[in-house]
PDB file of all heavy atoms in Angstrom:
ATOM      1  N   ILE A 307      -1.064  -4.187   5.525  1.00 98.00           N
ATOM      2  CA  ILE A 307      -1.147  -5.645   5.605  1.00 98.00           C
ATOM      3  C   ILE A 307       0.177  -6.227   6.077  1.00 98.00           C
ATOM      4  O   ILE A 307       0.225  -7.138   6.921  1.00 98.00           O
ATOM      5  CB  ILE A 307      -1.553  -6.238   4.233  1.00 98.00           C
ATOM      6  CG1 ILE A 307      -3.043  -5.984   3.963  1.00 98.00           C
ATOM      7  CG2 ILE A 307      -1.273  -7.742   4.188  1.00 98.00           C
ATOM      8  CD1 ILE A 307      -3.497  -6.399   2.576  1.00 98.00           C
ATOM      9  N   THR A 308       1.285  -5.705   5.546  1.00 98.00           N
ATOM     10  CA  THR A 308       2.604  -6.168   5.970  1.00 98.00           C
ATOM     11  C   THR A 308       2.857  -5.820   7.430  1.00 98.00           C
ATOM     12  O   THR A 308       3.423  -6.617   8.188  1.00 98.00           O
ATOM     13  CB  THR A 308       3.699  -5.564   5.077  1.00 98.00           C
ATOM     14  OG1 THR A 308       3.408  -5.852   3.706  1.00 98.00           O
ATOM     15  CG2 THR A 308       5.065  -6.132   5.417  1.00 98.00           C
ATOM     16  N   LEU A 309       2.418  -4.636   7.862  1.00 98.00           N
ATOM     17  CA  LEU A 309       2.575  -4.236   9.263  1.00 98.00           C
ATOM     18  C   LEU A 309       1.773  -5.150  10.177  1.00 98.00           C
ATOM     19  O   LEU A 309       2.243  -5.514  11.266  1.00 98.00           O
ATOM     20  CB  LEU A 309       2.139  -2.780   9.441  1.00 98.00           C
ATOM     21  CG  LEU A 309       2.305  -2.190  10.840  1.00 98.00           C
ATOM     22  CD1 LEU A 309       3.764  -2.235  11.294  1.00 98.00           C
ATOM     23  CD2 LEU A 309       1.783  -0.752  10.880  1.00 98.00           C
ATOM     24  N   VAL A 310       0.577  -5.544   9.756  1.00 98.00           N
ATOM     25  CA  VAL A 310      -0.230  -6.477  10.548  1.00 98.00           C
ATOM     26  C   VAL A 310       0.538  -7.769  10.782  1.00 98.00           C
ATOM     27  O   VAL A 310       0.574  -8.306  11.899  1.00 98.00           O
ATOM     28  CB  VAL A 310      -1.574  -6.774   9.841  1.00 98.00           C
ATOM     29  CG1 VAL A 310      -2.276  -7.963  10.499  1.00 98.00           C
ATOM     30  CG2 VAL A 310      -2.487  -5.559   9.880  1.00 98.00           C
ATOM     31  N   GLU A 311       1.179  -8.281   9.730  1.00 98.00           N
ATOM     32  CA  GLU A 311       1.914  -9.536   9.854  1.00 98.00           C
ATOM     33  C   GLU A 311       3.145  -9.405  10.750  1.00 98.00           C
ATOM     34  O   GLU A 311       3.589 -10.384  11.342  1.00 98.00           O
ATOM     35  CB  GLU A 311       2.328 -10.032   8.474  1.00 98.00           C
ATOM     36  CG  GLU A 311       1.158 -10.472   7.610  1.00 98.00           C
ATOM     37  CD  GLU A 311       1.587 -11.353   6.452  1.00 98.00           C
ATOM     38  OE1 GLU A 311       2.812 -11.596   6.297  1.00 98.00           O
ATOM     39  OE2 GLU A 311       0.698 -11.799   5.701  1.00 98.00           O
ATOM     40  N   GLN A 312       3.681  -8.189  10.850  1.00 98.00           N
ATOM     41  CA  GLN A 312       4.906  -7.976  11.613  1.00 98.00           C
ATOM     42  C   GLN A 312       4.662  -7.602  13.068  1.00 98.00           C
ATOM     43  O   GLN A 312       5.576  -7.710  13.897  1.00 98.00           O
ATOM     44  CB  GLN A 312       5.744  -6.882  10.940  1.00 98.00           C
ATOM     45  CG  GLN A 312       6.369  -7.299   9.639  1.00 98.00           C
ATOM     46  CD  GLN A 312       7.393  -8.405   9.826  1.00 98.00           C
ATOM     47  OE1 GLN A 312       8.359  -8.255  10.559  1.00 98.00           O
ATOM     48  NE2 GLN A 312       7.173  -9.531   9.155  1.00 98.00           N
ATOM     49  N   GLN A 313       3.464  -7.151  13.404  1.00 96.00           N
ATOM     50  CA  GLN A 313       3.273  -6.540  14.716  1.00 96.00           C
ATOM     51  C   GLN A 313       3.510  -7.507  15.879  1.00 96.00           C
ATOM     52  O   GLN A 313       3.949  -7.084  16.951  1.00 96.00           O
ATOM     53  CB  GLN A 313       1.898  -5.891  14.826  1.00 96.00           C
ATOM     54  CG  GLN A 313       0.707  -6.780  14.611  1.00 96.00           C
ATOM     55  CD  GLN A 313      -0.603  -5.997  14.633  1.00 96.00           C
ATOM     56  OE1 GLN A 313      -0.676  -4.857  15.092  1.00 96.00           O
ATOM     57  NE2 GLN A 313      -1.664  -6.602  14.127  1.00 96.00           N
ATOM     58  N   ALA A 314       3.292  -8.784  15.667  1.00 95.00           N
ATOM     59  CA  ALA A 314       3.531  -9.753  16.748  1.00 95.00           C
ATOM     60  C   ALA A 314       5.010  -9.880  17.086  1.00 95.00           C
ATOM     61  O   ALA A 314       5.375 -10.298  18.190  1.00 95.00           O
ATOM     62  CB  ALA A 314       2.963 -11.121  16.367  1.00 95.00           C
ATOM     63  N   THR A 315       5.885  -9.517  16.146  1.00 96.00           N
ATOM     64  CA  THR A 315       7.331  -9.651  16.364  1.00 96.00           C
ATOM     65  C   THR A 315       7.972  -8.331  16.797  1.00 96.00           C
ATOM     66  O   THR A 315       9.177  -8.304  17.087  1.00 96.00           O
ATOM     67  CB  THR A 315       8.030 -10.147  15.087  1.00 96.00           C
ATOM     68  OG1 THR A 315       7.940  -9.133  14.069  1.00 96.00           O
ATOM     69  CG2 THR A 315       7.383 -11.419  14.576  1.00 96.00           C
ATOM     70  N   LEU A 316       7.200  -7.266  16.827  1.00 98.00           N
ATOM     71  CA  LEU A 316       7.739  -5.968  17.225  1.00 98.00           C
ATOM     72  C   LEU A 316       7.683  -5.807  18.741  1.00 98.00           C
ATOM     73  O   LEU A 316       6.728  -6.252  19.393  1.00 98.00           O
ATOM     74  CB  LEU A 316       6.959  -4.840  16.553  1.00 98.00           C
ATOM     75  CG  LEU A 316       7.130  -4.726  15.033  1.00 98.00           C
ATOM     76  CD1 LEU A 316       6.132  -3.736  14.444  1.00 98.00           C
ATOM     77  CD2 LEU A 316       8.552  -4.324  14.676  1.00 98.00           C
ATOM     78  N   ARG A 317       8.701  -5.161  19.290  1.00 97.00           N
ATOM     79  CA  ARG A 317       8.775  -4.934  20.731  1.00 97.00           C
ATOM     80  C   ARG A 317       8.588  -3.467  21.052  1.00 97.00           C
ATOM     81  O   ARG A 317       8.835  -2.598  20.223  1.00 97.00           O
ATOM     82  CB  ARG A 317      10.133  -5.405  21.264  1.00 97.00           C
ATOM     83  CG  ARG A 317      10.418  -6.876  21.025  1.00 97.00           C
ATOM     84  CD  ARG A 317      11.806  -7.241  21.498  1.00 97.00           C
ATOM     85  NE  ARG A 317      12.117  -8.653  21.264  1.00 97.00           N
ATOM     86  CZ  ARG A 317      13.284  -9.212  21.528  1.00 97.00           C
ATOM     87  NH1 ARG A 317      14.265  -8.470  22.053  1.00 97.00           N
ATOM     88  NH2 ARG A 317      13.488 -10.493  21.281  1.00 97.00           N
ATOM     89  N   ARG A 318       8.188  -3.208  22.261  1.00 96.00           N
ATOM     90  CA  ARG A 318       8.007  -1.835  22.711  1.00 96.00           C
ATOM     91  C   ARG A 318       9.305  -1.050  22.518  1.00 96.00           C
ATOM     92  O   ARG A 318      10.380  -1.495  22.920  1.00 96.00           O
ATOM     93  CB  ARG A 318       7.612  -1.823  24.190  1.00 96.00           C
ATOM     94  CG  ARG A 318       7.098  -0.480  24.679  1.00 96.00           C
ATOM     95  CD  ARG A 318       5.734  -0.214  24.102  1.00 96.00           C
ATOM     96  NE  ARG A 318       5.190   1.071  24.565  1.00 96.00           N
ATOM     97  CZ  ARG A 318       4.099   1.618  24.063  1.00 96.00           C
ATOM     98  NH1 ARG A 318       3.435   1.015  23.099  1.00 96.00           N
ATOM     99  NH2 ARG A 318       3.661   2.757  24.528  1.00 96.00           N
TER     100      ARG A 318
END
Side-chain angles (χ1 to χ4, degrees):
I307 286 174
T308 306
L309 183 59
V310 168
E311 292 198 358
Q312 289 295 302
Q313 58 185 344
T315 67
L316 292 170
R317 301 176 181 177
R318 193 72 179 170

